[in-house]
Amino acid sequence: MTAKQTPREAAAAEVEAHRAVVARWEAEEAAATAELKSLQERAGEEVLADESAAVRLSKSMAELRDRIDIASRAVAAATPRLEAAARAVVLAEADEVDAEQARAQARLDGFDARQQELLTALEEFSGLPWMVDRGDEPGSSVVIVSNAGGPREIAQSPRESLWRAVESAKRKAWALREIADGRDPHNELAVPFEGKRFEGIINGPDPREFYGSSTWGPEAVLPAPAYLRAMDAGMADEPVVGPTVAARA
């Protein structure tokens, strides 16, 4: 990792390097396979034309089979390294989301603290009991004041958007780590949590809000099972580009 690279960028560079190795040996295997097939197809005619060609053909075929075997073994050896690098990208993105969650939590905590300061000041100023009514929604916050006329709504606070940012980041980081560990988080993502339903898991405007770019979209290095299903169903507009490690379902 260079001084200017983030851990995720460094891991992505490793993915590209391992992809190149896998692609190189896959190409070698394909070329040797095609050459062997061609040689086998014309071997009979060549031997009939010149019986001494049998030794040469046998040697050439054996060499091609060895090339195929070596290339296949190289692909098999390189693939786990590619998979490990891909998981490292996903986990690095999860770490980035953890940092986003921490910043969102700090904003939410700051809002709550400031709100409480203002409520205390209002209570001291007015002599009336101000409070925060969370209501039925965990992210909501409605400030009310009790007076002679009964509870009266004063203002709807923006706390819900701050709360949603925290919970979204928390859920996204969790989903990324589930995929990195070979599990499919879709069912858990699709159900309500804390009274909130996050829509758009498949058909929403941008599923990266739930899955991250390393597991959903053309830059995915470890495609989420839900993304692969969406592609199969023709619901994903952006196919994965290049050799990619498929997440285990």
Side-chain angles (χ1 to χ4, degrees):
M1 183 173 70
T2 67
K4 294 183 179 180
Q5 279 185 317
T6 65
R8 184 178 171 188
E9 289 170 340
E14 287 292 316
V15 167
E16 291 305 313
H18 290 303
R19 276 179 174 171
V21 171
V22 170
R24 171 194 167 193
W25 287 107
E26 285 179 339
E28 169 67 13
E29 182 180 5
T33 299
E35 192 174 342
L36 176 60
K37 181 180 178 181
S38 175
L39 188 59
Q40 289 172 330
E41 289 174 348
R42 66 176 190 270
E45 292 295 333
E46 289 191 20
V47 169
L48 290 179
D50 179 7
E51 291 186 4
S52 65
V55 175
R56 172 180 57 80
L57 290 169
S58 177
K59 181 179 179 182
S60 296
M61 287 181 184
E63 290 175 349
L64 287 169
R65 291 190 184 97
D66 285 344
R67 280 177 57 191
I68 293 169
D69 181 64
I70 290 170
S72 176
R73 290 175 185 275
V75 170
T79 297
R81 300 179 185 183
L82 172 57
E83 292 173 344
R87 284 192 290 273
V89 173
V90 176
L91 292 174
E93 184 175 8
D95 290 341
E96 291 175 0
V97 177
D98 283 342
E100 292 175 9
Q101 179 189 337
R103 291 190 292 269
Q105 186 67 55
R107 289 192 295 270
L108 177 60
D109 292 344
F111 178 90
D112 285 344
R114 180 58 176 158
Q115 179 175 254
Q116 188 56 52
E117 289 176 4
L118 293 172
L119 290 176
T120 300
L122 283 169
E123 185 169 323
E124 292 173 352
F125 176 76
S126 66
L128 297 174
W130 291 71
M131 62 177 290
V132 175
D133 180 11
R134 300 293 188 205
D136 296 329
E137 299 291 340
S140 65
S141 176
V142 179
V143 181
I144 62 173
V145 59
S146 296
N147 56 24
R152 181 164 60 90
E153 182 176 311
I154 300 299
Q156 176 73 47
S157 83
R159 187 178 189 276
E160 181 173 357
S161 63
L162 298 174
W163 174 87
R164 182 178 287 266
V166 172
E167 295 301 318
S168 293
K170 184 187 302 182
R171 179 154 282 210
K172 182 177 180 179
W174 170 81
L176 287 166
R177 292 190 172 96
E178 287 291 289
I179 294 168
D181 287 340
R183 292 185 289 272
D184 184 357
H186 177 72
N187 289 339
E188 286 76 7
L189 286 175
V191 300
F193 70 101
E194 297 287 344
K196 296 287 183 181
R197 176 179 289 278
F198 283 74
E199 303 293 349
I201 300 299
I202 291 293
N203 294 321
D206 191 353
R208 292 177 189 81
E209 178 183 349
F210 307 93
Y211 284 100
S213 61
S214 64
T215 62
W216 193 289
E219 298 178 1
V221 296
L222 194 64
Y227 181 63
L228 297 177
R229 291 193 295 270
M231 288 181 62
D232 290 341
M235 298 166 65
D237 297 330
E238 301 170 321
V240 175
V241 177
T244 304
V245 179
R248 298 182 297 277

